[in-house]
Amino acid sequence: MSLLALEDVRVTFGHRVALDGVSLAVEVGERLVLLGPSGCGKTTVLRLLAGLAVPDRGRVLIGGRLAAAEGRLLVEPEQRGLGMVFQDLALWPHLSVAGNLELGLRARGTPRTDRRRRVRAMLELVELGELAGARPGELSGGQQQRVALARALVLEPEALLLDEPLSSLDLELARRLRTEILRLQERLGFTLVHVTHDPEEADQMATRTLRMDRGRLAG
Amino acid sequence: MSPVRRAVLGSAVLLLVVAGLLPVAGMILRSLTAGGHLGFEAYRGLLGSARQWSLAGNSLLLAALTTVAALLLGVPAGVLVGRTDLPGRRLLAALLAMPLLLPPYLNAVAWMAAGSASGPVARVLGEGAARTLSHWLFGLPGCVLVLSTAFMPLIMLLVAAALRGVPPRLEEAGLLAAPWRTVLLRISLPLAAPAILLGAALVFLLALGDVTVPPSFRYPVFAVESLSQFSAFYDLSAATAAAMPLAAITAAVLGLEALVSRWTGAGTAGRGREPGPPPTVPLGRFRLPAAVTAWSVAGLLVGAPLLILVLRAGGPASYAAALGQAGGSLVRGLLLAAVGGTLLAAEGFLLAVLGVERPRGAGAAADATALFLFAVPGAVMGVGLIVLWNHPWANLIYATPLILLLGYLARSTAVTLRICRATLELVPPGLVEAGRVAGIGWGRRLVWILAPAAWRGLAAAWLAGAVFCLRDVGMTLLVHPPGWDTLPVRIMTLAANGAPELIAALCVLLVAATVIPVGLLAGLVGRMEAGS
Ligand SMILES: Nc1ncnc2c1ncn2[C@@H]1O[C@H](COP(=O)(O)OP(=O)(O)O)[C@@H](O)[C@H]1O
Ligand SMILES: [Mg+2]
């Protein structure tokens, strides 16, 4: 059984068809990269998996369980247990770095001391221990990326969805962060679905690559 | 959909329906059952009388002229304070917006005092000038002057906000081919047309329903002579019949507004998602003349009446007497405003969330309902509240300040709803989606993410809500329970036979009680913003 699966999904926005006839399966522990030009539907695939979008046709399965089908959302995003790093990061500006990591744990009812410990450990792991009290607005682009990554990982998701997380960084920094993501994946063992338009990035990150073009899987 | 979400948003909608729509519905029923059976008896007396028709004519004339004047003042003011490099534009905007925060009749009191035999004009320019002024102001012109000053800020603020929401790219495309003047007139203002239309519709309706200013200038209008009179004598059937045309006109005007703005198809203005303020339009060689004109107009319309009131009030003795006579009303008014503002901010926020989540369905219906209730004359709402709640079983509401809070919710939710909605539209959707993916439920997303991200809008909504509670007269006058009059109502009742110095001092107190908290809080928010 695949961890995540799309079965023949179609997504439209008004008259525009964003995805058509897309089927894919993500296996536990793999690093799947979706590679394709801007506008081809990569973000939409991630939003389907996360539950932030619903397919007009076809089905979405999470852990073998039907999560959305034919225009209906059956499992809410908050119940899917996935982590996601958004293309624009979407860090909560009114909370500190530690606060950004803590919120999901709080929602889950994790006790305070446990929360603190896990947040601190995760921040150490992404080398942001010093900046726990800073606001996202005070950080550099690379530091913000790492906060977004840590915010997703601290919840120990089964799978991590990365939406072009490195596209706004300079080449050197992007390369370093890719190494860091690989190191984290090895250490924590999550499944990775990574979206990018950059072939070099795909080569470095993927155990398997799928190409996308104009709302369809190619090849 | 989460059960928490359904319960919370459902209650917010229900509250608006109970507070606002039920009174209107009760009124319709009551007007049709005058004399104990179904029929149009109450309307027959109303429609058959020539006097009512002439009153209606006066009302429509006043509303139309006020709208024209408010447009002539408000659109240029909105452009100037919203987008240009006019010197002191923020202060100017605050000054011009002030009358909207106060009961309109304060300016009527001031202008009447200006023209009185012992007033400042008489002292400086002689009694002849004072007589000319008061002769000129008496009747329709005075009403138009005061009401357009009072409601013009609505148009100014709506236009300024819409102009700031025009996507910069659209203007930049125009600037490649034409100067700013042309771009503003041909691109920006047309995109702001829905805002101008909405502002004009609201000003028309507010002027039509005002029951406080026309009596000061002895100008007979329908809302005063029919509605207020009937309800003052507890002829409720007649009052409800008189209220119906006003409620119907309100619905018709707003419906027309919605239709026209849909036809013109412009819905993009005022919903800019692009970060940062739009470019400032340089006034160039018009900068000085524009500044002189704008500041003179503001000085005449807003500064002068205030100065007259201060002069008229005289020394500390008047204020001591005023506090002695109405100190309790002032405290009660502020208390009700604080509680009402909190309720209004919460209600507006929840309905704004509904609007963002369901922009077409329930959200749009809630917005239209709130706007209708905002535009329904206060006196009409007052009659509705009396009809609905004046029963022995409802004493817990009718005989307590709860009735006022219900009325405030009905009348001003539109204000806080629109403020919250504007702020929520600026919150990137990713912030909430990130919360969903992180497993945070709907209610907690609201409290932990959305409210903090929109705190500035919430603060502004609270302030605006409180001010709109404090300034209400038309509704409060009719429904306030014994011992719960507010300062503006107290001034109205004293104005008939109180000493002029006392009335002026009371008016100044009311201005201070409104402007000082607003100024302090606005300053505080500004400082926190600068600090972050
Ligand atoms: N909310 C939306 N409304 C309308 N069109 C959208 C929306 N989201 C995505 N699209 C369209 O769907 C297509 C796929 O978008 P997206 O998944 O964001 O592509 P990518 O992430 O590969 O750049 C694009 O043509 C885009 O314009
Ligand atoms: Mg994308």
Side-chain angles (χ1 to χ4, degrees), chain B residues 106-127 129-135 137 145 217 300 304-309 311-312 500 504:
Chain B
L106 290 199
N107 267 357
V109 173
W111 286 117
M112 295 303 282
S116 73
S118 55
V121 174
R123 256 180 280 159
V124 178
L125 298 172
E127 259 185 59
R131 216 169 306 132
T132 312
L133 177 67
S134 78
H135 182 76
L137 281 176
L145 171 70
F217 295 108
L300 181 71
L306 191 57
L307 188 67
I308 291 164
L309 286 175
L311 289 176
R312 192 76 183 124

Side-chain angles (χ1 to χ4, degrees), chain B residues 134-459:
Chain B
S134 78
H135 182 76
W136 183 82
L137 281 176
F138 230 75
L140 185 60
C143 294
V144 173
L145 171 70
V146 169
L147 289 177
S148 56
T149 309
F151 300 138
M152 172 279 274
L154 268 178
I155 295 180
M156 174 182 81
L157 295 173
L158 283 168
V159 167
L163 287 181
R164 292 174 146 270
V166 172
R169 273 172 297 105
L170 299 186
E171 290 178 343
E172 282 157 9
L175 279 176
L176 296 178
W180 259 120
R181 191 159 23 101
T182 315
V183 171
L184 271 181
L185 279 177
R186 292 291 159 79
I187 296 173
S188 317
L189 274 178
L191 285 171
I196 299 175
L197 191 67
L198 177 64
L202 289 177
V203 169
F204 182 88
L205 294 170
L206 291 172
L208 192 68
D210 186 86
V211 294
T212 60
V213 171
S216 314
F217 295 108
R218 304 278 185 283
Y219 183 67
V221 294
F222 182 81
V224 174
E225 306 289 323
S226 306
L227 187 58
S228 295
Q229 295 294 329
F230 289 145
S231 44
F233 294 116
Y234 270 76
D235 184 352
L236 276 185
S237 300
T240 50
M244 276 309 116
L246 290 170
I249 291 178
T250 306
V253 169
L254 289 179
L256 197 66
E257 186 272 331
L259 266 185
V260 173
S261 66
R262 184 162 321 157
W263 274 335
T264 53
T268 48
R271 302 177 130 230
R273 274 256 166 88
E274 300 181 41
T280 301
V281 180
L283 286 170
R285 66 198 157 92
F286 296 110
R287 194 158 182 252
L288 190 63
V292 170
T293 312
W295 279 99
S296 308
V297 170
L300 181 71
L301 294 182
V302 185
L306 191 57
L307 188 67
I308 291 164
L309 286 175
V310 172
L311 289 176
R312 192 76 183 124
S318 310
Y319 292 101
L323 276 177
Q325 285 255 0
S329 308
L330 176 62
V331 173
R332 282 190 293 276
L334 288 173
L335 189 69
L336 280 170
V339 177
T342 310
L343 287 175
L344 278 164
E347 174 79 356
F349 179 68
L350 291 176
L351 293 180
V353 169
L354 182 65
V356 171
E357 290 184 359
R358 295 267 185 288
R360 286 184 203 289
D367 185 70
T369 306
L371 205 59
F372 168 72
L373 295 172
F374 175 72
V376 163
V380 171
M381 189 51 75
V383 172
L385 288 168
I386 294 173
V387 168
L388 185 65
W389 298 108
N390 186 10
H391 305 286
W393 53 264
N395 255 347
L396 187 65
I397 289 175
Y398 190 69
T400 66
L402 281 180
I403 187 81
L404 287 174
L405 293 175
L406 278 180
Y408 295 149
L409 268 175
R411 293 207 9 91
S412 302
T413 293
V415 176
T416 54
L417 168 53
R418 288 288 173 110
I419 293 174
C420 290
R421 179 81 192 257
T423 326
L424 287 184
E425 279 178 354
L426 296 177
V427 175
L431 295 189
V432 177
E433 292 176 349
R436 296 192 75 177
V437 176
I440 302 171
W442 184 84
R444 287 172 161 174
R445 289 202 298 274
L446 216 61
V447 178
W448 287 353
I449 299 174
L450 214 45
W455 74 271
R456 231 172 279 143
L458 272 172

Side-chain angles (χ1 to χ4, degrees), chain B residues 76-133:
Chain B
V79 174
L80 285 175
V81 305
R83 288 296 301 276
T84 69
D85 59 351
L86 190 86
R89 58 190 173 278
R90 298 189 74 158
L91 197 63
L92 183 74
L95 190 64
L96 283 173
M98 213 171 82
L100 184 64
L101 307 182
L102 298 163
Y105 73 82
L106 290 199
N107 267 357
V109 173
W111 286 117
M112 295 303 282
S116 73
S118 55
V121 174
R123 256 180 280 159
V124 178
L125 298 172
E127 259 185 59
R131 216 169 306 132
T132 312
L133 177 67

Side-chain angles (χ1 to χ4, degrees), chain A residues 84-107:
Chain A
M84 179 160 176
V85 175
F86 290 71
Q87 200 160 5
D88 62 355
L89 300 186
L91 296 176
W92 296 309
H94 58 286
L95 297 176
S96 66
V97 167
N100 265 275
L101 267 63
E102 224 184 311
L103 212 60
L105 293 169
R106 245 174 96 186

Side-chain angles (χ1 to χ4, degrees), chain A residues 38-44 87 163-164 195:
Chain A
S38 167
C40 72
K42 304 182 297 292
T43 296
T44 307
Q87 200 160 5
D163 194 354
E164 311 214 27
V195 148

